[in-house]
Amino acid sequence: MNNITFAIIKPDAVKNRNTGKIYDRIISAGFEIKSAKLLRMTQSQAEGFYAVHKERPFFGELTEFMSSGPCMVLALQKENAVEEWRKTIGATNPEEAENGTIRKDFATNIQENAVHGSDSDENAKKEIGFFFSDSELIANN
Ligand code: IDP
Ligand code: MG
């Protein structure tokens, strides 16, 4: 499936009251929201979600940050959703993100970078499954 991706409005962006502004970017970029919820991850959930990064030096800090407050998890649909959402959010490091991207406009630093985006169709599917059951996704009519 190449038309769905997984996004997070991370705790920094929720705390900084940017949720609505980021929703607006999602919608104006042409994504359909197939599911969304506000939740606070436990640190062990964050460790599970970011398991691929467990050997990286920032893993502890990252999982602490991701469980530090509420975040919004979303399933987003659009043609080429994974690539399109990565373009919309910009580079991991906001200093390298292009003008007009979400991270350029809302990230604080390389860690507290406002949003998450899946990096492949395979991971999008896994990540959606981590937070949503099939029945929570809006059906396409
Ligand atoms: P991505 O979110 O752009 O896909 P990844 O390399 O998959 O970037 O890293 C996952 C998350 O880990 C980043 O979004 C960011 O929050 C955090 N991160 C990545 N690199 C660093 C770093 O060098 N220092 C601190 N945190 C980092
Ligand atoms: Mg990544």
Side-chain angles (χ1 to χ4, degrees):
M1 206 157 45
N2 68 354
N3 67 346
I4 195 150
T5 193
F6 177 72
I8 306 178
I9 302 176
K10 293 186 178 181
D12 59 316
V14 173
K15 188 168 161 216
N16 295 332
R17 301 186 175 271
N18 290 323
T19 304
K21 290 176 197 140
I22 294 172
Y23 254 71
D24 206 34
R25 300 289 183 97
I26 292 169
I27 292 161
S28 45
F31 293 91
E32 297 290 333
I33 298 172
K34 303 305 283 182
S35 207
K37 59 188 164 192
L38 185 69
L39 55 86
R40 181 170 178 174
M41 286 185 217
T42 61
Q43 188 152 2
S44 80
Q45 250 181 324
E47 286 165 1
F49 180 74
Y50 277 121
V52 291
H53 295 308
K54 65 175 184 293
E55 306 304 334
R56 314 234 345 227
F58 54 82
F59 184 67
E61 260 180 50
L62 173 63
T63 55
E64 202 175 303
F65 159 59
M66 290 301 291
S67 57
S68 66
C71 69
M72 179 74 72
V73 295
L74 306 110
L76 302 178
Q77 183 180 289
K78 190 183 181 181
E79 187 99 353
N80 286 324
V82 166
E83 195 187 332
E84 289 292 307
W85 179 241
R86 295 292 307 199
K87 269 198 255 165
T88 304
I89 69 178
T92 309
N93 184 348
E95 287 174 17
E96 289 162 16
E98 283 184 37
N99 286 339
T101 60
I102 293 174
R103 282 170 165 170
K104 177 77 177 185
D105 294 340
F106 300 111
T108 306
N109 55 47
I110 192 170
Q111 177 173 271
E112 303 199 4
N113 59 1
V115 282
H116 167 81
S118 308
D119 60 8
S120 66
D121 292 338
E122 192 193 346
N123 284 335
K125 194 164 180 273
K126 275 194 213 155
E127 292 173 1
I128 288 170
F130 194 90
F131 289 103
F132 297 107
S133 59
D134 286 349
S135 65
E136 288 179 302
L137 299 174
I138 306 294
N140 289 314
N141 291 310

